[in-house]
Amino acid sequence: MRFRYRWSPFWRGSLCLLVTCCPPVLLAQDLVPTKPVVLQEEETTTNEETVSEVPSLEVDRLPAVVVEGNSTSGDTQRDYDATFSNAEVMTPNNMPSEERKFGGTVQVISNEQIVESDAFTVGQLLARQPGVDVVNSGGPGGTSSIFLRGANSQHTKVLIDGSPVNDPSSPSRGFDAANLTLDNVERIEILQGPQSLLYGSEAIGGVVNILTKRGQGPMSGSLSAQGGVFGTHREGGYIQGQSGAVDYSFSGSWLDTQSYSAALTGTERDPFSVGALAGAFGVQLTENTEFVYRLRYTDARAHIDDAGLTIGQPPTDDPTRLNLTSNLVQRFEINNTLLDGNIINMFAYDDVDYTRADTDDFFPSNFAGKTRQFTYMGTAILWPDHEFSVGVQHWNESATTEYIPSPPSQASQYQTGVFFQDRISFWDRLHLTGGVRWDDHSVAGGHSTYRTTAAYELRETNTRLRASLGTGYRAPSLSENVLPYGNPALRPERSTGWEYGFDQSLFNNQVVLGATYFRNDYFDLILYDPNTFTLLNIGQARSHGVELTADWYANEVWTVWGSYTHTDTYDDETGLQLVRRPRDKGTFGVTRKLGESGSITLAARMIGRRLDARNGSVVLAQYNVIDIYGDYWIRQNMRWFYRIDNLLNEQYQEITGYATSDAAIYSGLEWRF
């Protein structure tokens, strides 16, 4: 018996309502107005778990929405928008599980989408998803922040195959998506709402999990090259396969662009380059045990301009300033099954390293951050449709900061957590999940969280009702509680979030609709108190809104999709909306399949007005951006791909004074062997 996880192709689609003109809205203060801190089956398959068969209930299921994929794509839109199918997702339960049984919101960007988008980074794909806002400080290489449903960017936990990659040396342990390329990425899952039950600290607003490829079948690979405006070129390749008990999948790329000035008023370009190497190596040790090693290394060099002293102030041009970043993520994992597959064990050790250097003329600085994490999760199949899981997690993080010529500062902290989760289904219609977690932090003390979800399927009308309730927390970062200017008395930030909604399939699965209402309340937010000149737990805020999605599969050739998200945020301290969160966001897309020869997609984003100053004095205008991307198979093993960003040359700003791309064309060739 070979032990494998299979991550089935699946994506939770986009759109219901297209808003062509977003109403003017004043947005305001960030959740955490930070003080400038002194830190700145079979043997030929993969990723599948083969266990002895457990008797299943003999009842009808909702019709699966599946269309056969062709030889040029790994999965199809029907697969990843199959609301009622048995497609598996990984992130909601930290192990493969059917999406239809999860009562929360999970969105999946499939491998087919990733390949056809011709995107350079993960952030470019996330920006098209409902409830997800990606804000960039200038062009490629500028800081890229991810906001989920109105939460702060540091409230988004980012994982790569389960490895935590938020930077412990950053002021708030936030994640910068600027350098996260798509090398070896199989798909991306976005889990909305508080998720600390399984993922601990940072998971207040949600989780973004990047899942990478495992090798399968005979050795194969590809080489690709592309180029475009701003002197941009990218070269890459991958190789993968499986031989006996060993599987492997490795890819690498180099991206270089002369770009444009990060500062809107700048006169010189701000080039950016990034090299990445990613891979996975697996060995079947015994019939029911496998070992997997995963690796991702990134080395980036970005020219940046000087940011304003406060939010809402434009940057100033700096012709010499550089931001140098390297990141190494390693994961060692053992998966094991016992008792004919009724006991599933996962042991993982994560080793994450960051080094950063800022060559600022006045305050040059160096940063180094390390995260070490051990995770055990065991799941017992008690009887058909009833699973009980227990997990233990221990992480240790450390950081070193140096502001030249001052001596470096060093600090570390650790945390241990244990969690329990129970999943049960009745009549294969009602699916319930509940769990609790307890964490003990070396500085902030103990904290408990929970999550419960429910989903009910009405097969007679092809309707799925769902709801979830959960809590999240964020332990204070090293710069907030241990390093100089920190406050060791800080408590963790907390959130309580709930949502309810439905999914509806119509016209023999040609139309799939979804609607969700959500609300998140945030407590004990860490803010700078000007009266005491220190950081305190004095902030409270909330966000609530509606997400609407729709997909129309007109026929085998045409697909139309879209979404509308309304997010209303409120800061109790100021009585204003939160900065850089649009109240209204719409997406719209049309995809035309060219038989087995390729496809072409038109994708639009409509972003409403939002504040970019805490006092409400700076308002950024709404904007509409249209992109076109696609591919065409010239030969059976040669693909031409292309992308046009900002087709109509929209002039807009995501952050005050920072430039965005004019209309830009990129194109390339891929040769597969």
Side-chain angles (χ1 to χ4, degrees):
M1 176 178 64
R2 293 180 62 81
F3 179 91
R4 293 285 190 228
Y5 281 155
R6 176 182 297 246
W7 294 333
S8 301
F10 170 82
W11 181 69
R12 202 146 148 94
S14 313
L15 196 105
C16 181
L17 227 7
L18 170 62
V19 181
T20 55
C21 183
C22 301
V25 176
L26 293 181
L27 307 179
Q29 182 166 348
D30 197 349
L31 287 178
V32 184
T34 55
K35 166 194 175 186
V37 186
V38 169
L39 254 183
Q40 234 203 196
E41 167 188 42
E42 297 177 308
E43 300 194 351
T44 57
T45 61
T46 62
N47 299 336
E48 179 175 11
E49 174 188 324
T50 303
V51 299
S52 66
E53 294 201 4
V54 177
S56 61
L57 298 176
E58 292 296 325
V59 296
D60 293 334
R61 293 184 175 180
L62 288 166
V65 186
V66 177
V67 167
E68 195 76 21
N70 60 47
S71 61
T72 63
S73 66
D75 47 14
T76 68
Q77 262 191 329
R78 288 265 181 159
D79 290 326
Y80 55 69
D81 188 43
T83 301
F84 308 112
S85 81
N86 302 319
E88 291 181 339
V89 288
M90 185 73 181
T91 313
N93 296 302
N94 202 21
M95 65 178 296
S97 55
E98 295 175 68
E99 190 273 343
R100 68 187 179 92
K101 296 182 178 181
F102 178 61
T105 298
V106 57
Q107 302 155 353
V108 181
I109 304 174
S110 75
N111 183 252
E112 182 184 44
Q113 276 192 303
I114 294 171
V115 171
E116 293 180 352
S117 71
D118 189 27
F120 293 139
T121 65
V122 169
Q124 291 174 310
L125 293 174
L126 293 177
R128 297 174 184 152
Q129 304 306 305
V132 183
D133 298 302
V134 180
V135 179
N136 301 290
S137 301
T143 301
S144 182
S145 302
I146 304 169
F147 301 85
L148 299 181
R149 285 184 175 172
N152 239 0
S153 61
Q154 60 262 40
H155 296 158
T156 300
K157 183 152 194 169
V158 180
L159 308 169
I160 299 178
D161 293 309
S163 297
V165 293
N166 291 54
D167 184 358
S169 68
S170 71
S172 57
R173 205 192 291 107
F175 179 77
D176 181 3
N179 306 326
L180 184 53
T181 65
L182 289 161
D183 292 274
N184 216 48
V185 174
E186 175 68 23
R187 74 175 191 269
I188 303 167
E189 296 183 354
I190 307 159
L191 190 58
Q192 299 274 21
Q195 304 296 334
S196 288
L197 167 67
L198 296 178
Y199 297 106
S201 183
E202 280 85 63
I204 283 183
V207 172
V208 175
N209 194 9
I210 293 93
L211 302 171
T212 62
K213 299 176 182 178
R214 292 282 300 276
Q216 57 181 327
M219 186 182 72
S220 62
S222 79
L223 295 173
S224 64
Q226 66 188 114
V229 298
F230 308 122
T232 301
H233 63 91
R234 180 185 181 276
E235 297 77 38
Y238 78 85
I239 187 169
Q240 70 88 42
Q242 181 180 3
S243 177
V246 176
D247 65 81
Y248 54 91
S249 177
F250 294 97
S251 69
S253 70
W254 174 259
L255 169 66
D256 189 278
T257 177
Q258 294 304 300
S259 191
Y260 45 86
S261 174
L264 192 61
T265 58
T267 58
E268 46 81 34
R269 294 187 173 189
D270 287 313
F272 170 67
S273 61
V274 57
L277 175 66
F281 175 78
V283 180
Q284 196 74 35
L285 300 176
T286 67
E287 187 180 21
N288 63 344
T289 304
E290 71 166 358
F291 168 77
V292 184
Y293 170 70
R294 301 181 189 272
L295 164 76
R296 177 171 291 267
Y297 176 72
T298 303
D299 191 4
R301 177 186 178 94
H303 288 252
I304 60 175
D305 288 330
D306 299 331
L309 295 178
T310 62
I311 292 179
Q313 289 188 354
T316 56
D317 205 11
D318 189 329
T320 61
R321 189 174 181 181
L322 292 172
N323 196 352
L324 308 174
T325 305
S326 66
N327 172 225
L328 175 63
V329 181
Q330 298 181 87
R331 182 178 177 89
F332 305 83
E333 183 177 317
I334 293 178
N335 298 306
N336 166 266
T337 62
L338 299 172
L339 300 180
D340 294 328
N342 290 309
I343 302 293
I344 304 167
N345 297 298
M346 186 274 290
F347 304 85
Y349 176 73
D350 301 299
D351 191 322
V352 182
D353 290 271
Y354 276 95
T355 59
R356 295 182 290 121
D358 186 339
T359 65
D360 183 60
D361 293 336
F362 297 101
F363 301 104
S365 53
N366 296 300
F367 307 89
K370 298 179 182 293
T371 300
R372 308 289 184 262
Q373 178 175 280
F374 169 78
T375 303
Y376 165 75
M377 182 171 173
T379 299
I381 302 175
L382 302 180
W383 59 75
D385 284 329
H386 188 185
E387 299 175 359
F388 182 79
S389 300
V390 60
V392 178
Q393 197 169 67
H394 176 84
W395 62 255
N396 180 290
E397 64 177 6
S398 61
T400 301
T401 64
E402 180 183 18
Y403 288 87
I404 302 171
S406 300
S409 300
Q410 295 180 329
S412 64
Q413 58 186 0
Y414 62 88
Q415 179 173 280
T416 301
V418 58
F419 60 87
F420 304 90
Q421 178 174 269
D422 196 32
R423 293 188 288 157
I424 188 169
S425 296
F426 297 97
W427 317 289
D428 204 34
R429 282 179 178 257
L430 175 62
H431 313 289
L432 304 176
T433 302
V436 295
R437 179 182 179 119
W438 173 258
D439 287 283
D440 186 24
H441 192 274
S442 61
V443 179
H447 191 73
S448 62
T449 51
Y450 65 86
R451 186 188 71 177
T452 180
T453 78
Y456 185 76
E457 299 174 65
L458 296 167
R459 299 187 183 86
E460 296 77 9
T461 59
N462 278 356
T463 305
R464 186 169 72 110
L465 307 177
R466 47 186 168 78
S468 70
L469 169 67
T471 57
Y473 77 99
R474 185 184 75 88
S477 69
L478 286 166
S479 66
E480 290 170 334
N481 66 355
V482 179
L483 285 164
Y485 302 98
N487 177 7
L490 289 174
R491 301 182 302 277
E493 297 180 329
R494 301 179 292 116
S495 74
T496 300
W498 53 274
E499 67 175 83
Y500 58 85
F502 72 91
D503 302 297
Q504 180 68 57
S505 177
L506 301 169
F507 310 119
N508 196 28
N509 301 319
Q510 281 193 295
V511 175
V512 180
L513 306 176
T516 303
Y517 174 81
F518 62 88
R519 171 162 176 153
N520 297 297
D521 292 272
Y522 309 98
F523 310 96
D524 286 338
L525 297 176
I526 299 172
L527 308 177
Y528 177 68
D529 184 4
N531 298 316
T532 61
F533 302 102
T534 189
L535 295 168
L536 297 174
N537 293 100
I538 57 177
Q540 294 189 48
R542 72 168 183 263
S543 68
H544 65 99
V546 177
E547 290 175 0
L548 304 174
T549 65
D551 295 82
W552 175 32
Y553 305 102
N555 50 46
E556 296 291 328
V557 175
W558 292 96
T559 302
V560 181
W561 49 267
S563 70
Y564 169 67
T565 304
H566 175 84
T567 306
D568 190 14
T569 59
Y570 181 79
D571 189 317
D572 281 357
E573 184 183 22
T574 65
L576 299 172
Q577 296 257 348
L578 305 174
V579 298
R580 297 176 184 170
R581 277 74 145 189
R583 191 173 185 180
D584 298 284
K585 175 183 178 180
T587 67
F588 174 77
V590 179
T591 297
R592 187 186 191 283
K593 294 290 184 181
L594 306 175
E596 295 191 1
S597 298
S599 68
I600 181 170
T601 296
L602 181 147
R605 287 178 292 132
M606 292 70 68
I607 308 298
R609 298 176 69 188
R610 58 237 173 269
L611 284 183
D612 201 31
R614 297 188 181 103
N615 61 6
S617 61
V618 180
V619 181
L620 295 175
Q622 67 182 47
Y623 64 88
N624 307 314
V625 174
I626 297 176
D627 303 324
I628 292 179
Y629 54 86
D631 60 359
Y632 185 81
W633 286 86
I634 302 171
R635 300 172 56 184
Q636 187 177 6
N637 63 342
M638 184 170 291
R639 184 174 70 99
W640 169 54
F641 53 94
Y642 53 89
R643 186 178 98 227
I644 304 176
D645 290 345
N646 196 6
L647 176 67
L648 302 182
N649 201 35
E650 178 86 352
Q651 301 300 300
Y652 65 98
Q653 297 177 48
E654 296 182 2
I655 299 177
T656 302
Y658 281 93
T660 53
S661 175
D662 293 333
I665 301 176
Y666 306 93
S667 182
L669 289 173
E670 179 188 26
W671 172 60
R672 294 187 180 180
F673 57 87

